[in-house]
Structure formats: C-alpha cells, structure tokens
Amino acid sequence: ELKVEQNPLFLSMQEKKNYTIYCNYSTTSDRLYWYRQDPGKSLESLFVLLSNGAVKQEGRLMASLDTKARLSTLHITAAVHDLSATYFCAVDSAAGNKLTFGGGTRVLVKP
Amino acid sequence: EPEVTQTPSHQVTQMGQEVILRCVPISNHLYFYWYRQILGQKVEFLVSFYNNEISEKSEIFDDQFSVERPDGSNFTLKIRSTKLEDSAMYFCASRRGDQPQHFGDGTRLSIL
C-alpha cells in the first residue's frame, strides 16, 4: 500500500525567508502533484511532476521530484502572507486511478 | 476556465437517511473521482470511474456507497444509510489524460 508522508505538518514562516516542505512516498511512481488548499476551500493544482528530475517553478514556489529517492520538495522563496494555506502532495497510482495524499503542511506566514 | 461543479454546497441529513451528492465534471474529461476529507485531516480516495464503470475503490467505499453517471454530464455519489462518521467534505474531481485532477469546491456533509 502506498504511503505518502509530508513534513513538517506545520510551518510558521517569517516573511522574506526561505522554506522547504518535504514529501516522501513508499512505492515507485512517476507522477506527483502539489495542491494548495485555503481554509474551507477546494484543492487548487500547483504543480505536476511527471518524471525524475522534474523541476517546476511558479512565482515564489518551486517543486522538484527525485523518483529514485521517492522524494519531492516544495521550496518557498521569500515567503509572503498570501502563501498562507495548507499544501498537499499527492502521488498517482501506476494506473492513474487514484491519488494518495500526504497529510498536508499547514503554512502560516507571519509579518 | 472550465470548472468541476458540485451541489449542494452543504447537506445536513439525519443518521440512517440516504444522501446523493452531485457533480458535473469538466465536459471533455473522461476520468471521474470522489474523495473525502474529514475536518482537519488528509484527503482520502473513495472511488474512480472511467468508461461507465468503477476503476478502483478504497476500503472506505463499502456497499453503502455507490456511484452513477446517469447522463452525459452528471456524476453522483450515493450513501444509502448514513452514519455519523460519514460527516466530511466530499470532493469530486475529473481528469483528462496526464493532466492533474481538477477538484470541485466540495459538499460539506453533516450527519446528525
């Protein structure tokens, strides 16, 4: 059974500093997704990582995938308040039939 | 931009009653999913649906649950006899090819 673990579970950030969220998973997969969820809201797709070594960047967020280490990272550069949310990584099954989500990282950016 | 739409946004139901949650996936998507999220917890997979049949289901998706695509646009999740522990946010998602799953805004189900 695929297990997906994120850490940390909670991240209190200071503005303008850099932080990293880690996502480890237990079985081979080449498809990993990062989603953002604001309180009471739906899941917004941030990044799709489809191969080993994939790196995607959007604004202050950058995601990477190392399929050999079964590790993805979400790096936040110069945090700003607007980035406060919960971030989930999700790993796709080989058949693409389901996503297994990590436990989420709740991010709070303080001035 | 096309969206997955879910209705109702909030459903309150007595324990033991049947409930139907409705979803309209994005029109050119072929893969459909239901997930649930108990308050403050992670998102859990329930079921996937493709070509008018279930592709995969989780242990949560027992015989109290069913899905249906009654016409060309709607995708429904039915819970036959609700339990207190069914209280959660239920998300519908759809996907096309290798694109990420697009999620609806969810239905908050409260069982009394």
Side-chain angles (χ1 to χ4, degrees), chain B residues 12-18 80-86 110-112:
Chain B
V12 182
T13 303
Q14 292 288 330
M15 186 172 60
Q17 295 296 306
E18 176 183 286
R80 288 190 185 81
S81 179
T82 50
K83 307 183 189 76
L84 293 175
E85 54 264 37
D86 293 329
S110 300
I111 308 300
L112 304 179

Side-chain angles (χ1 to χ4, degrees), chain A residues 1-90:
Chain A
E1 181 189 340
L2 173 61
K3 293 190 189 313
V4 182
E5 292 186 356
Q6 279 181 245
N7 68 83
L9 297 181
F10 178 71
L11 201 43
S12 179
M13 298 184 180
Q14 291 184 340
E15 283 189 329
K16 301 181 185 178
K17 292 198 172 178
N18 304 331
Y19 298 87
T20 301
I21 300 170
Y22 299 89
C23 174
N24 290 91
Y25 53 97
S26 61
T27 63
T28 302
S29 175
D30 288 336
R31 292 197 299 272
L32 189 141
Y33 304 87
W34 284 95
Y35 287 88
R36 168 182 170 145
Q37 186 180 39
D38 291 296
K41 302 291 187 182
S42 186
L43 294 147
E44 175 192 352
S45 175
L46 294 175
F47 298 109
V48 180
L49 302 169
L50 297 177
S51 61
N52 186 41
V55 177
K56 296 280 184 73
Q57 182 163 5
E58 180 74 34
R60 300 175 188 275
L61 301 178
M62 183 174 73
S64 65
L65 178 62
D66 181 345
T67 57
K68 293 178 182 176
R70 298 176 187 168
L71 170 68
S72 180
T73 60
L74 180 66
H75 188 72
I76 298 171
T77 301
V80 292
H81 179 70
D82 284 354
L83 294 179
S84 296
T86 299
Y87 293 84
F88 290 94
C89 64

Side-chain angles (χ1 to χ4, degrees), chain B residues 1-96:
Chain B
E1 185 176 332
E3 292 181 344
V4 175
T5 56
Q6 289 185 243
T7 55
S9 57
H10 190 193
Q11 174 81 46
V12 182
T13 303
Q14 292 288 330
M15 186 172 60
Q17 295 296 306
E18 176 183 286
V19 66
I20 297 176
L21 308 183
R22 302 180 192 280
C23 170
V24 178
I26 295 173
S27 62
N28 61 355
H29 287 192
L30 300 176
Y31 301 85
F32 313 117
Y33 308 83
W34 284 100
Y35 294 84
R36 79 172 186 190
Q37 185 179 32
I38 294 171
L39 185 63
Q41 298 188 23
K42 70 177 180 180
V43 180
E44 299 175 292
F45 168 77
L46 292 178
V47 66
S48 57
F49 192 87
Y50 171 72
N51 201 26
N52 286 320
E53 60 182 27
I54 291 175
S55 308
E56 189 162 348
K57 59 183 180 179
S58 71
E59 291 179 354
I60 302 168
F61 194 89
D62 61 22
D63 56 9
Q64 292 300 310
F65 290 83
S66 62
V67 289
E68 195 177 31
R69 188 156 162 82
D71 52 43
S73 59
N74 291 285
F75 180 52
T76 62
L77 174 69
K78 183 194 293 186
I79 309 175
R80 288 190 185 81
S81 179
T82 50
K83 307 183 189 76
L84 293 175
E85 54 264 37
D86 293 329
S87 295
M89 182 74 93
Y90 287 80
F91 291 106
C92 173
S94 68
R95 176 175 70 90
R96 181 183 180 198

